[in-house]
Each structure stands twice: as structure tokens, then as C-alpha cells.
Amino acid sequence: MLCKNIPLNKTAYVETYILNNTKEYNVGKKKPLVLVIPGGGFTFTSDREAEPIALRFNAIGCHAAILWYTVMDQVMNVPRNGLIECMQAVAYFRAHADEYLIDPKNIIVCGFSAGGNIALNAATQWQEAWLDAPTNTTPEQRRVDLCIDCYGGVQFNAAKPGERQGFATELLMTPMTVNERWFGVDDPTLEQVKAMNPIYHIDPNYCPPMFIWHTGEDQLVPVEQALDLATALCKAKVPFELVVYEKGEHGLANADRTTARKDSHFNRHVGKWFDQCAEWLAPYIDYPENLYGLQAKGVPTSGVRD
């Protein structure tokens, strides 16, 4: 496996989990890449929603990478900046698809909580012209092919001007207000609020298929947000799969011992989300002409066992 850190700027980077190209199976096969985007309330990036998730995608034959986007109030409007960094990462992997044996038609974003907001904005806004200049890319370079939303924030409302309370505020480096952190200004307009709420940007001409999962007991991101997202996708005729689990708190990650730090992080039923996601993913990534690599195309692979 190729593990390396690729800087995007002074405060953000991507960490790769690129599978090896063996001489025995899937020879020369270009594999999907899943860009994992951890949550953390836009104040930190959660380890629980990073490497353990990347490794699970590796286990089903996908390359993976983690987007460690800029947090801790090092920039204003963290979600917008995170979207820019996400788009830069997607464009980087598409540009290096041959080098890393990445299938350029299967670059997938998978976000959790705040990272889910970034993933959803990437999936719904990658074609927007305003991203050209700050990312130094074209829409085709930063195209998102599939989106996996894990209890992501779909609709953020403005706080009262001057409000400084927020999630994990003890980690913050500056006395930025909640609105400055989320929207870039302390008293945002309705348009500025809508700009970072993906539900307002669903266009069937660009929006990719989505897998969405949530829990009914989530107290940080209400399950209604997932239901509203699914309704909007349905109205736009964008393919999606929605799974809502009755029990379970916010931030369950894998919901098993690999990501638990307390008893309530164990939830056997919610832990099935990844297998359900993998089943949803299979028809999109397992297409005949790319199923077995070079052997499927009749290219000789000397010294390789059948």
C-alpha cells in the first residue's frame, strides 16, 4: 500500500491509502478512490472517522484517501474553505489516475457529520464556476461521481450575531463567532446561509447518486435533515439510497470496537451500514470492462497464474 501525505496548502493535506498493483490478480486494474472526510464540528477532524473508514474501503478493493481539511479557526468560513480543499483533492487524484491506477470515472466522496456537509457540497457544487479560480481547476477535473453521506449536516442555520458558543470550542485558536466560522461573516444574509447548505444546490444534471445513513436519535444533526435531503433528491430524480436506524447517537463512525471510545459507540445494528453501503456501491464500480484489470481486456500478463 502506498501511504503518503500530499499537501494542499499550509494547513490541509490528503493522506493516501493506495492499494498495490499485484502481478497475480486485478493486474493493471484502475480502482475506485474514496475520499474520506472526517467530521468534528468544523473545529477539528476526528480520527475515529478517518483511518478506520479508509481501511474498510481498502478491504472491498477501493483506493482511499483522507482529507485533513483546515480547521481550528485558521480560516473564516471553514465549510467553504473545506469545499475548496476537497475539490483540490478530487482534481489531484483525477490528474494522477494513471500513476495511482485510479478509475477516473469513480472518484467518490464519503463524509461524516461536518465532513458530510463538505462531501454533500462537493457532490452538488463541483460544477460551479466560482470554484474555478480558488481551486485552479476545471469542473471536469473536480467532478464527483458518487457521494456517501454519514449523518452529515444538510441545513445549517445562522446563529445570533456575536454568539461564540459551539462544538469543541476549547480547541479553537481564535475568538471567532459561530457565524464567522460557518458563513464567513457574523451577520450572514439568507443567500450566504444557503450557499453552504447543499440541499439548495441539487441539480439532476450534475448531482451524483448518493448513499445516506443516519440515526433517529441523533441530537446534533437531526434525522429530519437526512429525510429532507432524500426528499429533495427524489424530487430532482437523483438516484439515492437512504438508511435510517432507530437507535444510535451522533458520531458512531464504524459503530464497533474499531472506532469506539465509550459503550454508547457500540451499536451492532448501526454497524451494518458499511456492508449496506458496499452493496449499494457495487453496481456503480463493478462494470465488465474494468472488472479484472488487463486480463479482462485480453492483454497478456506473463507469469501470472489463471
Side-chain angles (χ1 to χ4, degrees), residues 37 42 77-84 86-87 109 111 113-128 130-131 142 144 147 149 153-156 182-183 192-202 207-208 210 229:
I37 311 173
F42 298 120
N77 201 338
V78 181
R80 181 182 187 276
N81 192 76
L83 171 59
I84 290 170
C86 178
M87 295 288 81
V109 292
S113 191
N117 174 263
I118 293 174
L120 288 167
N121 275 319
T124 56
Q125 297 196 59
W126 61 265
Q127 77 286 353
E128 296 289 344
W130 73 264
L131 282 162
R142 58 181 185 261
V144 172
C147 178
D149 168 37
V154 176
Q155 293 175 288
F156 291 124
W182 287 359
F183 306 114
Q192 287 171 319
V193 172
K194 286 184 175 181
M196 297 316 300
N197 284 338
I199 200 164
Y200 298 111
H201 302 281
I202 295 172
C207 188
M210 294 190 186
L229 173 62

Side-chain angles (χ1 to χ4, degrees), residues 24-97:
E24 183 177 353
Y25 64 95
N26 292 342
V27 180
K29 177 179 179 178
K30 290 190 173 182
K31 303 176 180 69
L33 180 129
V34 181
L35 182 63
V36 178
I37 311 173
F42 298 120
T43 61
F44 73 104
T45 40
S46 172
D47 289 343
R48 299 176 55 250
E49 296 162 343
E51 182 176 84
I53 308 300
L55 293 175
R56 293 200 77 176
F57 282 109
N58 283 160
I60 62 169
C62 296
H63 298 306
I66 300 168
L67 175 64
W68 298 103
Y69 53 96
T70 304
V71 291
M72 294 182 69
D73 282 5
Q74 296 177 86
V75 293
M76 296 180 72
N77 201 338
V78 181
R80 181 182 187 276
N81 192 76
L83 171 59
I84 290 170
E85 292 168 346
C86 178
M87 295 288 81
Q88 290 173 321
V90 169
Y92 171 86
F93 287 115
R94 186 163 277 115
H96 291 79

